[in-house]
Amino acid sequence: MGKTKAGSARKSRGRSPAAASPAAAARSLRGKESTWVGKKPAAPRERPGEPPLPPPEFRRFDLGAQGERWVKFQERQRLTCEEAARLLLDTFEYKGLVKYTGGCHCRAIRFEVWASTDLHIFDCNCSICTKKQNRHFIVPASHFKLLKGADNITTYTFNTHRAQHTFCKTCGVQSFYTPRSNPDGYGIAPHCLDEGTMRSTIMEEINGKEWEKAVKEHKTIRSMSKP
């Protein structure tokens, strides 16, 4: 007709070092304006007379009066600071969405994707979509995460080479791909999702035989890969 990243918010069986003693950890936060997320790295070069500057990839946040509550939450849920932060961000960034999991037939490729419980599925009749029955819904790249199988994926392209038709080297199933219409997102095959989450689907036929005209006239397809 794009790709992503992020870490998984799984429960940690062991205690976080910072959460070994919630009260002690919380006390250590008092009187400080901020606390580091992750391991504090060596500071970059700074100007004479100025305090060390943290690198851009490490940001600080002020826990304030919520310091003790935050540490107790980590202890109770057995989460590292990173896992707790991801859980919080997912709650707000993916509000109204649900997390699906899916993959290919042999399970060499597995992914998770955040999308609506009511999926808008495109049924394209272009040459390749007809051959492989490529029905798919579109999500932003930031809503997709490949859990495993990056080294088991191969890609087929043709014509403009903008669409990246990715499929499993072992079983040949295409469970997701990068659409030509939405190079900043992913097209997900609904039939490759695990059962139990989808509520309903809306099927829309799109005339891929006249691809440029169909995409130009479509009012929403381009925006579907925007966060």
Side-chain angles (χ1 to χ4, degrees), residues 57-198:
E57 65 269 26
F58 284 82
R59 301 304 184 198
R60 303 165 74 184
F61 63 93
D62 185 1
L63 293 176
Q66 303 303 314
E68 185 170 354
R69 183 184 176 195
W70 178 264
V71 173
K72 286 183 177 179
F73 172 74
Q74 284 184 249
E75 169 75 5
R76 186 168 59 252
Q77 301 298 327
R78 294 180 176 271
L79 298 173
T80 65
C81 188
E82 180 183 354
E83 290 167 342
R86 176 174 170 78
L87 181 63
L88 178 65
L89 291 170
D90 285 351
T91 300
F92 282 90
E93 290 184 355
Y94 304 140
K95 190 174 183 180
L97 304 178
V98 296
K99 183 168 70 173
Y100 296 89
T101 55
C104 65
H105 183 262
C106 70
R107 300 184 70 86
I109 296 169
R110 296 290 297 168
F111 63 82
E112 67 179 35
V113 60
W114 289 86
S116 171
T117 53
D118 305 294
L119 299 177
H120 188 122
I121 299 169
F122 289 102
D123 185 6
C124 178
N125 66 351
C126 75
S127 61
I128 191 167
C129 287
T130 298
K131 291 284 188 183
K132 63 181 179 178
Q133 295 295 287
N134 181 28
R135 298 178 182 90
H136 60 278
F137 62 95
I138 297 170
V139 298
S142 60
H143 289 190
F144 176 89
K145 180 190 175 186
L146 184 63
L147 300 176
K148 72 169 188 174
D151 57 351
N152 212 57
I153 292 175
T154 191
T155 304
Y156 171 71
T157 67
F158 71 103
N159 195 12
T160 66
H161 302 286
R162 294 197 67 188
Q164 303 290 304
H165 299 276
T166 48
F167 56 95
C168 175
K169 292 179 181 179
T170 304
C171 66
V173 169
Q174 176 185 285
S175 53
F176 68 92
Y177 83 116
T178 306
R180 178 184 171 190
S181 61
N182 299 78
D184 55 346
Y186 283 94
I188 312 296
H191 44 276
C192 288
L193 298 177
D194 298 333
E195 296 181 0
T197 313
M198 194 185 313

